[in-house]
Amino acid sequence: QVQLVESGGGLVPAGGSLRLSCAVSGTTFSIAAFGWHRQAPGKQREAVAEIRSGGDTSYADSVKGRFTISRDNAKNTVYLQMNSLKPEDTAVYYCRYRYGLKSNWGQGTQVTVSS
């Protein structure tokens, strides 16, 4: 069973930075794709960034140039570096595992950006 555990969320002022981590177990980490998604109160969950097994990345337009997704295959961990945070980035951030038709989610970590 694939397990994902997010950490690193918290309260930060606008313009600040946070780095989220997603520790993964129960799978061959290097062959999977991983993504970060977020869900703000009253809104649908949205994709933020994805990194594929070969290292290719993609980002939502709203975070391009501010967020960076990365992976450490030796540590089975995925990261999301978030810079220049805005109040509208406030949400619960979820890590997602994807391999073929398989998909698993972490429990989420809260990010709150104060204005």
Side-chain angles (χ1 to χ4, degrees):
Q1 179 74 6
V2 181
Q3 292 189 325
L4 305 98
V5 179
E6 302 98 332
S7 61
L11 174 64
V12 61
S17 298
L18 280 175
R19 189 177 80 155
L20 305 183
S21 299
C22 174
V24 182
S25 61
T27 186
T28 304
F29 182 89
S30 61
I31 65 174
F34 294 93
W36 287 97
H37 298 243
R38 66 187 181 187
Q39 187 165 18
K43 295 188 177 181
Q44 289 189 331
R45 190 173 297 188
E46 63 174 355
V48 173
E50 183 177 75
I51 186 164
R52 289 167 283 283
S53 58
D56 293 343
T57 59
S58 58
Y59 298 91
D61 288 343
S62 59
V63 307
K64 279 181 182 176
R66 300 189 297 123
F67 290 11
T68 302
I69 188 170
S70 62
R71 62 191 295 161
D72 186 333
N73 288 347
K75 294 183 178 180
N76 285 12
T77 302
V78 183
Y79 303 98
L80 184 68
Q81 178 66 44
M82 306 186 293
N83 298 328
S84 302
L85 282 161
K86 305 175 181 179
E88 51 263 44
D89 294 319
T90 295
V92 178
Y93 283 71
Y94 297 91
C95 182
R96 181 190 183 192
Y97 156 92
R98 186 171 62 81
Y99 181 70
L101 297 179
K102 297 179 182 178
S103 180
N104 290 78
W105 296 86
Q107 81 290 349
T109 185
Q110 176 71 46
V111 171
T112 303
V113 184
S114 60
S115 56

